[in-house]
Amino acid sequence: MSIKKVSLFVVVFFMSMFTIHNVSASQRFVDVPSSHGAYEEINYLVDLGVIKGYTENGKSYYKPNNYVTRGQAAKMVVESTGHEPLVVSNSSFSDIKIDLYPELSGYVESAVKLGFFTEYGAGKFAPNTPLTRNEMAKTLSKAFNLDVEKYANLTVPFTDISPKDPYYKYIAAIYYNGITKGNETGTKFNPNEPVKRSQFASFIARSAEEKYRLDLPVQGVTVPNEEDAIGTVKSTTDNLNVRSSATSSTSANIIGKVNTGAKLPVFEVEGSWLKVSYNGRYAYISSSYTQFLDQDGQPVGSVEKEVLANASEVIFYKTRDINGKELGSFSNGEKIKVYKTVGNWYLTIQNGIPGYVRISQTKEIEPVEEEPNEEQPPNVDDNQDNELTTNTIGMATVDSLHIRSEASSSSKSLGTINRGTYVEVHSISGNWAKISYNGIDGYTHKTYLRLINQSGSAVAGRIIVLDPGHGGKDPGTSKSGAIEKEIVLKVATKVKQKLEAAGAKVYMTRAGDTYPTLQDRVDFAQNNYAEVFVSIHVNSASSESASGTETYYSISGNENEKEDYRLASAINSQIVNNAGMVDRGVRREDYFVVRNLLLPSVLVELGFVTNASDREKLISSEYVDIFADSIYKGIVQYYKK
């Protein structure tokens, strides 16, 4: 075919695109029946003279499944917004020749001048290139004067578009204006897919005419109002990821990071995720690295006492204000844990969220006096000089620990002992230890006993759970190829080997690259009747100078917090001394796995992967063994009398 014939074919093709045919209004196009999803929108735009179809063999076709090109889209948005094509003598684009495309050139020049389009690159417009969905969003936002900045910080349900994407605000604008709902499931936008002719007709009709709009999204139409927040949390770690959706399976939804101490309003608790306000938009953070604050901006602290609800419905308020936001309620007779007394209010927690109840709607719990037992002294802890003859003894880790007649907390109390008291341990079944003390044989819950071997290995027979942090879809922190989940698994595996060689029973929350949830890890420890729990992690910081080892135990005080501290101190000291690490000390933070276990539980941060010196040790086989040996020795030290 000659060049002249090709040119003539192209001219005829584009001329056919801009000629309106008078066809039946009931069905203008044989391929767009009245049942077609875009039937009304296509005919609306035909009536406006914005679009037309193709005439083949005397029949009119719209070809709804063909892709709309950038050139076609330029004409359609210029006409649908009431503008005229420009009359130009020279084209601004090397791929649009005025002598070949006189009408198209005018529309393209007008669309570019109006700001609806930009060049495709290198002085070209690419008129025959299909228009992509992200380009469509920008074009329609600009052509129909949508306030894109109003929607720039709102959350969209599309998992394949990041808030950092330059097209994000345009996509959000057309979503919140009822112009698109994404794919069939509404979960993806498919930003790089080309737009079909039927789709573009619908998009333009919705943009131009209110009656064609989709139902507007209910959630997220307005920016977060902090008065609607149910509480405030602070970050307990540096570089905490802030995400556009409640999932850590992709890094595409990370919209920012916050450091230790950063405070964020919370609007919902969704499993292990918190819906928060971040830079004027809804976002999500992991609850595992946060701590709820009270109305005064202070950590909640530990339980002071328990009271009973003394009304048919005791309202649970966000603040100390009966006109304030209600977060829930307590039923009459329900126990309420009191963390602080402030004026006429008790600070308490419900569903993990701190709030307040009125003191006037509660009553004190009257102590239940046990029937006197003539065979039992009021406190069997009066005589500490008894000789302990069994190999395994137990030291009470709390005061007023009951010795029960059977292995049940509901069985009869034979007396109580206080912290520091030693008893003989005869056997252990599940969570109960059969013991003897001062001639009394009974049972105590082993959570409140430090079990000590009087000879042989200090850890023989002890049940220890090791928790290598992160894993699977959650790599943890990383730097220069050093990945947290891999480092901690290597260390934990070596700790397990050393403990088992010394006779301990050791379980690991994960033995490979899997991802147990934080609740899974807690449940795993409890289901295996753990006696101590050690979670192993590596640290990171925005500053590369941050370095050293730190070990945490829970700030939400429980009866075993002194044991937590003893275990944390022993492990931390061993690592600092043996691995030559900077000592960042033993600290208190409510990390999920230590907060939700009553048994002695700690979380170890071996070192900073973001610090060159620490990182060199963390990836060194020699130091992996030193870290493991130090944790092992710390556990042994904890168990020594």
Side-chain angles (χ1 to χ4, degrees):
M1 187 180 290
S2 68
I3 295 177
K4 286 185 178 180
K5 289 183 178 180
V6 171
S7 299
L8 179 60
F9 173 80
V10 173
V11 170
V12 170
F13 171 77
F14 274 101
M15 287 297 289
S16 72
M17 290 298 300
F18 300 111
T19 303
I20 301 175
H21 296 270
N22 294 319
V23 293
S24 171
S26 61
Q27 185 175 336
R28 287 183 165 96
F29 308 109
V30 296
D31 54 354
V32 183
S34 59
S35 59
H36 192 283
Y39 175 81
E40 290 189 15
E41 290 89 339
I42 290 172
N43 282 287
Y44 164 75
L45 293 178
V46 169
D47 290 338
L48 290 180
V50 173
I51 61 175
K52 54 157 294 303
Y54 304 83
T55 299
E56 297 178 358
N57 299 322
K59 294 182 179 180
S60 294
Y61 294 86
Y62 183 69
K63 299 186 179 180
N65 293 322
N66 283 8
Y67 296 134
V68 67
T69 66
R70 283 170 52 86
Q72 294 166 355
K75 173 188 180 293
M76 292 166 72
V77 293
V78 168
E79 288 197 336
S80 61
T81 54
H83 293 90
E84 298 291 334
L86 293 179
V87 178
V88 293
S89 57
N90 294 306
S91 174
S92 301
F93 305 99
S94 61
D95 54 354
I96 301 179
K97 304 298 184 182
I98 292 181
D99 57 338
L100 292 179
Y101 315 124
E103 189 177 16
L104 175 65
S105 179
Y107 281 109
V108 168
E109 296 287 345
S110 179
V112 172
K113 184 176 181 180
L114 290 167
F116 303 164
F117 277 87
T118 57
E119 68 175 29
Y120 200 73
K124 295 183 178 182
F125 185 79
N128 299 320
T129 299
L131 183 76
T132 60
R133 289 171 62 85
N134 52 11
E135 290 177 323
M136 173 273 295
K138 183 176 181 180
T139 295
L140 296 185
S141 295
K142 287 182 172 293
F144 291 92
N145 297 314
L146 302 184
D147 185 358
V148 296
E149 299 305 327
K150 175 181 178 181
Y151 307 101
N153 290 323
L154 298 185
T155 301
V156 296
F158 311 130
T159 59
D160 55 354
I161 184 73
S162 166
K164 297 178 181 179
D165 192 293
Y167 288 99
Y168 182 90
K169 61 183 179 181
Y170 303 110
I171 294 171
I174 64 171
Y175 171 69
Y176 283 110
N177 278 278
I179 297 170
T180 185
K181 63 178 182 179
N183 67 352
E184 292 181 358
T185 63
T187 58
K188 291 188 177 182
F189 184 73
N190 301 325
N192 297 314
E193 283 190 3
V195 181
K196 295 179 180 179
R197 283 168 53 81
S198 59
Q199 294 171 334
F200 198 60
S202 295
F203 294 145
I204 288 187
R206 292 169 191 165
S207 301
E209 182 60 54
E210 187 75 26
K211 70 177 181 179
Y212 295 115
R213 297 280 176 97
L214 302 170
D215 292 336
L216 296 182
V218 175
Q219 296 185 1
V221 174
T222 58
V223 296
N225 182 352
E226 291 195 13
E227 292 184 0
D228 296 330
I230 60 174
T232 301
V233 293
K234 74 170 184 177
S235 171
T236 58
T237 186
D238 287 338
N239 294 316
L240 174 60
N241 289 327
V242 182
R243 300 176 181 270
S244 60
S245 55
T247 176
S248 57
S249 61
T250 176
S251 60
N253 67 345
I254 298 175
I255 59 175
K257 295 178 183 290
V258 294
N259 290 325
T260 302
K263 298 179 181 179
L264 299 171
V266 178
F267 295 87
E268 291 181 37
V269 177
E270 301 180 12
S272 61
W273 294 93
L274 301 178
K275 185 178 182 180
V276 300
S277 173
Y278 176 77
N279 286 347
R281 62 168 294 170
Y282 288 115
Y284 295 86
I285 57 175
S286 171
S287 61
S288 304
Y289 305 102
T290 65
Q291 180 180 32
F292 268 100
L293 304 176
D294 64 17
Q295 181 182 346
D296 304 311
Q298 300 300 316
V300 173
S302 57
V303 176
E304 294 180 350
K305 62 178 180 179
E306 286 187 330
V307 296
L308 295 177
N310 193 31
S312 58
E313 184 182 40
V314 176
I315 302 299
F316 177 57
Y317 294 93
K318 174 186 173 183
T319 59
R320 300 184 295 272
D321 182 357
I322 59 173
N323 296 314
K325 186 177 182 65
E326 297 180 8
L327 302 178
S329 63
F330 294 91
S331 302
N332 191 18
E334 187 176 351
K335 284 186 177 181
I336 301 173
K337 292 182 178 181
V338 177
Y339 291 83
K340 189 185 297 184
T341 304
V342 186
N344 297 320
W345 297 84
Y346 282 143
L347 171 66
T348 187
I349 291 177
Q350 188 179 68
N351 298 325
I353 303 166
Y356 298 86
V357 296
R358 287 182 285 170
I359 295 177
S360 60
Q361 292 190 311
T362 68
K363 67 178 181 179
E364 298 290 327
I365 298 176
E366 297 180 3
V368 178
E369 294 185 5
E370 296 181 357
E371 294 183 4
N373 182 355
E374 294 180 358
E375 299 178 358
Q376 149 194 345
N379 189 323
V380 297
D381 193 33
D382 296 334
N383 186 351
Q384 288 279 330
D385 297 327
N386 58 310
E387 183 180 355
L388 303 174
T389 58
T390 57
N391 183 58
T392 301
I393 61 175
M395 190 205 84
T397 61
V398 296
D399 288 333
S400 301
L401 176 62
H402 286 277
I403 300 176
R404 301 286 182 180
S405 60
E406 297 179 8
S408 169
S409 58
S410 61
S411 66
K412 181 180 178 181
S413 174
L414 304 178
T416 61
I417 55 177
N418 291 323
R419 175 177 168 79
T421 302
Y422 292 97
V423 299
E424 293 181 337
V425 177
H426 300 287
S427 64
I428 294 174
S429 177
N431 279 320
W432 289 90
K434 185 176 182 180
I435 62 111
S436 295
Y437 179 75
N438 269 1
I440 296 176
D441 296 327
Y443 298 85
T444 59
H445 201 290
K446 72 170 184 176
T447 297
Y448 306 110
L449 289 178
R450 188 192 320 142
L451 299 168
I452 303 168
N453 296 330
Q454 296 196 84
S455 61
S457 168
V459 294
R462 301 288 60 80
I463 302 175
I464 298 163
V465 169
L466 301 175
D467 174 40
H470 307 279
K473 65 182 181 180
D474 178 13
T477 190
S478 62
K479 179 75 173 180
S480 301
I483 303 172
E484 181 175 9
K485 69 175 183 178
E486 297 176 357
I487 296 169
V488 297
L489 182 60
K490 290 178 182 178
V491 173
T493 301
K494 285 186 173 291
V495 177
K496 181 177 187 289
Q497 293 169 353
K498 293 174 184 292
L499 286 168
E500 287 180 334
K505 297 178 181 178
V506 186
Y507 301 93
M508 288 173 54
T509 58
R510 67 178 181 95
D513 191 19
T514 57
Y515 177 71
T517 67
L518 297 175
Q519 188 62 56
D520 289 339
R521 299 169 199 252
V522 170
D523 293 343
F524 181 85
Q526 293 172 336
N527 293 338
N528 284 286
Y529 307 109
E531 293 161 8
V532 298
F533 177 93
V534 180
S535 187
I536 306 172
H537 292 255
V538 300
N539 222 331
S540 66
S542 55
S543 171
E544 294 184 357
S545 63
S547 66
T549 299
E550 55 195 23
T551 306
Y552 291 94
Y553 68 106
S554 177
I555 199 170
S556 293
N558 61 64
E559 297 93 333
N560 264 326
E561 65 176 306
K562 291 181 179 178
E563 295 302 294
D564 293 340
Y565 178 78
R566 175 186 172 93
L567 178 61
S569 297
I571 292 174
N572 199 79
S573 295
Q574 289 286 346
I575 296 174
V576 168
N577 293 333
N578 300 334
M581 301 296 288
V582 171
D583 187 1
R584 295 175 64 89
V586 173
R587 304 184 177 193
R588 301 187 69 173
E589 285 290 351
D590 270 339
Y591 292 122
F592 189 95
V593 291
V594 295
R595 182 179 76 230
N596 289 283
L597 287 170
L598 288 177
L599 58 101
S601 311
V602 300
L603 186 148
V604 185
E605 296 278 10
L606 299 173
F608 283 76
V609 73
T610 46
N611 176 269
S613 178
D614 281 9
R615 184 170 63 251
E616 186 177 351
K617 292 179 179 179
L618 292 169
I619 62 177
S620 161
S621 298
E622 176 187 358
Y623 274 89
V624 164
D625 192 67
I626 292 174
F627 286 127
D629 190 59
S630 298
I631 294 174
Y632 160 73
K633 288 178 177 176
I635 295 172
V636 170
Q637 181 180 334
Y638 165 78
Y639 272 115
K640 288 186 175 179
K641 186 173 179 180

